[in-house]
């Protein structure tokens, strides 16, 4: 069974996201934990969350994916930006425990000229300070397009972050693979998906791959741009995306669409199309 959903707006609360997901036949979804470009977070309403958990339980949803704000940069040069990353992630992770056992995805960050090694050390330092052995949430490092000074455009960088996390906390750190980002970073998922996954396995370990972001890309492989396209309207194409979601090594992972749809109905159509292709109907 394909476990697929999309990014949803959380402005009307958790139960509302569950209903939005049901309305488009999604079996998972992603949401921002707080304003993606600012910092504020609404306090959590446990009743609202428990209504979502009821919907998710009855419908058999897979694990959900929370997404940290884009402004979170644990490896900034600015102390105040790193302080925000610390505050926001610690606060988000404490709120995530209201919906136990799910994922919290974040962009590793941009080292802004300090160099990749310093970036990796700062990111791992934040995780070592914030993660708790008793937490039920797994944080996910997102594979990045390698735009500017982004950390995480190479599998080696994500592996280095995990390896710098204390052994007793390391199983709290997984990876989310974004198809647009890895393509833009230069990995050939169109012609050599098996090779890319073998490389991922060798460097990070496929057991640590916990979620997928399913996006087409407006740019050719290796462009380092990070501009998402609707499935079939970019350089990756529908066939290559379908090979990803059907790959035997990737079954059961939450597949989250982050395509530039105008509305929920657009995501509904994309989910429907991918479910049909997944089943091999066309
Ligand atoms: Fe992301
Ligand atoms: Fe993504
Ligand atoms: Zn992106």
């Amino acid at each position: 069974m394909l476990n697929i959903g999309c990014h949803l707006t959380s402005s009307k609360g958790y139960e509302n996201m569950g209903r939005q997901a049901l309305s488009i036949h999604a079996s998972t979804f992603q949401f921002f934990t707080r304003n993606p470009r600012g910092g504020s977070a609404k306090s959590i309403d446990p009743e609202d969350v428990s209504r979502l958990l009821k919907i998710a339980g009855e419908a058999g949803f897979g694990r959900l994916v929370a997404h940290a704000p884009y402004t979170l940069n644990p490896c900034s040069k600015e102390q105040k930006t790193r302080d925000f990353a610390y505050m926001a992630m610690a606060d988000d992770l404490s709120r995530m425990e209201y919906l136990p056992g799910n994922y919290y995805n974040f962009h590793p960050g941009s080292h802004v000229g300090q160099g990749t090694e310093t970036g990796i050390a700062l990111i791992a330092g934040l995780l070592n300070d914030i993660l708790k052995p008793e937490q039920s949430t797994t944080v996910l490092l997102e594979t990045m397009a390698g735009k500017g000074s982004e950390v995480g455009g190479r599998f080696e960088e994500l592996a280095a972050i995990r390896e710098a996390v204390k052994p007793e906390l390391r199983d709290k750190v997984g990876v989310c693979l974004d198809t647009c980002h890895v393509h833009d970073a230069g990995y050939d998922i169109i012609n050599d998906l098996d090779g890319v996954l073998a490389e991922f396995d060798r460097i990070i370990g496929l057991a640590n791959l916990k979620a997928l972001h399913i996006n087409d890309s407006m740019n050719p492989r290796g462009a380092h741009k990070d501009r998402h396209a609707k499935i079939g309207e970019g350089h990756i194409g529908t066939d290559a995306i379908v090979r990803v979601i059907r790959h035997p090594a990737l079954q059961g992972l939450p597949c989250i669409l982050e395509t530039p749809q105008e509305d929920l109905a657009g995501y509904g159509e994309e989910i429907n199309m991918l479910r049909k292709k997944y089943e091999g109907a066309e």
Side-chain angles (χ1 to χ4, degrees), residues 67 70 105 107 142 178 181 213 258:
H67 196 305
Y70 295 134
N105 174 73
H107 296 181
E142 183 167 353
D178 185 311
H181 296 178
H213 283 169
E258 301 174 307

Side-chain angles (χ1 to χ4, degrees), residues 8-59:
L8 294 174
T9 137
S10 55
S11 56
K12 291 184 182 145
Y14 288 89
E15 178 187 12
N16 181 269
M17 290 191 287
R19 300 207 176 282
Q20 288 182 69
L22 284 182
S23 77
I24 55 170
H25 306 290
S27 54
T28 180
F29 61 87
Q30 176 174 272
F31 61 99
F32 283 123
T33 51
R34 57 179 66 225
N35 182 334
R37 310 223 167 254
S40 60
K42 275 194 264 182
S43 65
I44 207 154
D45 171 1
E47 305 265 294
D48 182 34
V49 173
S50 64
R51 287 190 296 266
L52 165 65
L53 295 178
K54 184 160 181 284
I55 291 172
E58 285 171 3

